[in-house]
Amino acid sequence: EGELKGKFYPLTGMDKAVQQQLIDDHFLFKEGDRFLQAANACRFWPSGRGIYHNDNKTFLVWCNEEDHLRIISMQMGGDLGQVYRRLVTAVNDIEKRIPFSHHDRLGFLTFCPTNLGTTIRASVHIKVPKLAKDMAKLESIADKYNLQVRGTRGEHSEAEGGIYDISNKRRMGLTEFDAVKEMYDGISELIKIEKSL
């Protein structure tokens, strides 16, 4: 209800027009890559998989893509507070219905071990053409601020039009808020450096 109100689209039997629209919106995930296939994350594809998104397309839940649930809050622009508040509201709402697996030492349990802990990967899509001319420098600055540089479509992808997906690297040993703040602070520094070049 409210801002989170939307519709669930199962992959099995998905209408081709709906499928194409979700692909065009960059919302629909594909069958796993060779790494996920080797880990048996793609068995019985596409059964039991789907995507939910709200009417504004600012809140999504991927069901059984890699993790059981991948909860996504996003929007254009720089209002990170609004994105984070929407995410917290959604997580609290979902957890009222289904409890999340949690371990006292490891944090939230996920299929991908790199997401253990808070499970939060806060990211922005950003164009940094001057820094991108020297990838070693971009990577070095990102490392200094505990950031990870990915291609436009995430892990194992290339930057499209010079746009990178830059996110927090750490998920364990900090709070959810601290993970988002770490990304925000690092991105702010990247923007300063880009402007100074």
Side-chain angles (χ1 to χ4, degrees), residues 2 9 14 22-23 38 45 63 87 93 101 104 116 149 151 155 173:
Y9 302 86
M14 183 178 283
L22 291 170
I23 289 169
W45 193 274
C63 299
L87 178 68
D93 198 26
S101 296
D104 289 341
L116 289 173
V149 179
E155 218 170 14

Side-chain angles (χ1 to χ4, degrees), residues 106-158:
L106 300 174
F108 290 100
L109 302 178
T110 65
F111 182 84
C112 182
T114 63
N115 290 331
L116 289 173
T118 64
T119 72
I120 286 190
R121 189 176 83 79
S123 69
V124 297
H125 281 194
I126 188 168
K127 194 171 193 171
V128 284
K130 295 173 187 170
L131 281 170
K133 288 179 184 173
D134 184 352
M135 277 306 292
K137 183 175 183 173
L138 176 58
E139 293 279 358
S140 172
I141 295 167
D143 282 344
K144 180 179 175 184
Y145 294 100
N146 295 313
L147 299 177
Q148 182 177 33
V149 179
R150 297 178 176 194
T152 309
R153 296 184 187 267
E155 218 170 14
H156 313 299
S157 72
E158 297 295 320

Side-chain angles (χ1 to χ4, degrees), residues 166-184:
I166 301 180
S167 62
N168 59 304
K169 194 182 290 185
R170 300 185 317 147
R171 318 257 200 288
M172 292 185 92
L174 66 172
T175 68
E176 289 84 353
F177 178 82
D178 290 336
V180 173
K181 184 170 182 346
E182 189 167 82
M183 182 277 299
Y184 175 84

Side-chain angles (χ1 to χ4, degrees), residues 20 72 86-87 109 117 122 132 159 165 168:
Q20 190 57 52
I72 303 166
R86 181 184 312 112
L87 178 68
L109 302 178
D165 177 328
N168 59 304

Side-chain angles (χ1 to χ4, degrees), residues 8 26-30 32-33 36 41 45 48-54 58-74 87 90-91 94 98 100 109-116 118-123 148 150 153-156 165 167 171:
F8 179 74
H26 305 288
F27 287 177
L28 193 60
F29 53 86
K30 298 183 179 110
D33 57 24
L36 292 174
W45 193 274
R49 290 163 173 88
I51 177 174
Y52 174 92
H53 70 72
N54 68 346
T58 57
F59 169 69
L60 296 84
V61 180
W62 288 357
C63 299
N64 296 319
E65 174 259 356
E66 177 179 331
D67 293 315
H68 291 103
L69 296 177
R70 177 146 318 160
I71 304 166
I72 303 166
S73 177
M74 63 183 195
L87 178 68
V91 166
I94 292 169
I98 45 175
F100 297 117
L109 302 178
T110 65
F111 182 84
C112 182
T114 63
N115 290 331
L116 289 173
T118 64
T119 72
I120 286 190
R121 189 176 83 79
S123 69
Q148 182 177 33
R150 297 178 176 194
R153 296 184 187 267
E155 218 170 14
H156 313 299
D165 177 328
S167 62
R171 318 257 200 288

